Amino acid sequence: MQSLTLPTGQTIRYYSDLDEFPAERRSYLTRYQIEAAEIDLSPEAIADRLGLILQYNAEGRGADVAVSLQNLLFSFNMIRMNYAPDELSFGVLIYDVDGVAVTDLSPEGLHRILKPLQIPLTIIQQVLDDVKKNSQTTESVISLGLQGMLR
């Protein structure tokens, strides 16, 4: 578990390694990470999606065009709603804020916690990247251990 003092002066404690991460939170984290991977929220991602749609259209892949257009529409709706799955993934990692436990992991509950904290996106991305690195290290150790057992 790590502590972080925010620019607002508040302190959060968050899970920095999936080994210490409670199992009941994993489904929320997985959901938000999948959404983050599938939703185009940046201008660059939207431009890439449009390029892909044009490519599918030129290749006569009508079904792929339809699916990509649906995904693009979904992304625009998420942008309109200010839905930020990376921010929600980060919120699931928070154990407490100034000693008050974070227990409502729904999008609405996490927004109530995160909005007043005004956490810069750079901090959110850094913490998420660090947790991913920590979990990859753990998975590598587990994989090596399993390989040793299988020999």
Side-chain angles (χ1 to χ4, degrees), residues 1 3-4 9-14 94-103 113 117:
M1 184 130 359
S3 292
L4 177 65
Q10 295 166 296
T11 301
I12 62 170
R13 288 190 303 163
Y14 64 92
I94 299 174
Y95 174 74
D96 66 18
V97 178
D98 290 334
V100 178
V102 174
T103 57
I113 298 289
L117 297 177

Side-chain angles (χ1 to χ4, degrees), residues 49 53 63-77:
R49 174 75 62 183
I53 291 169
D64 290 329
V65 169
V67 169
S68 290
L69 284 171
Q70 289 172 346
N71 288 339
L72 188 61
L73 181 60
F74 182 70
S75 294
F76 284 139
N77 285 331

Side-chain angles (χ1 to χ4, degrees), residues 32-33 36 41 84-91 121 124-125 128 132:
Y32 299 137
Q33 287 178 329
L41 296 175
D86 279 342
E87 191 175 274
L88 298 174
S89 292
F90 174 78
L121 187 57
I124 290 172
Q125 287 300 329
L128 290 173
K132 286 177 189 174

Side-chain angles (χ1 to χ4, degrees), residues 89-120:
S89 292
F90 174 78
V92 172
L93 296 174
I94 299 174
Y95 174 74
D96 66 18
V97 178
D98 290 334
V100 178
V102 174
T103 57
D104 185 352
L105 304 177
S106 69
E108 298 80 17
L110 292 173
H111 280 295
R112 279 193 298 276
I113 298 289
L114 294 168
K115 189 172 182 172
L117 297 177
Q118 301 173 4
I119 303 169

Side-chain angles (χ1 to χ4, degrees), residues 19-30:
D19 284 343
E20 62 189 7
F21 194 71
E24 62 271 9
R25 289 180 176 237
R26 287 182 188 261
S27 63
Y28 290 97
L29 182 63
T30 301

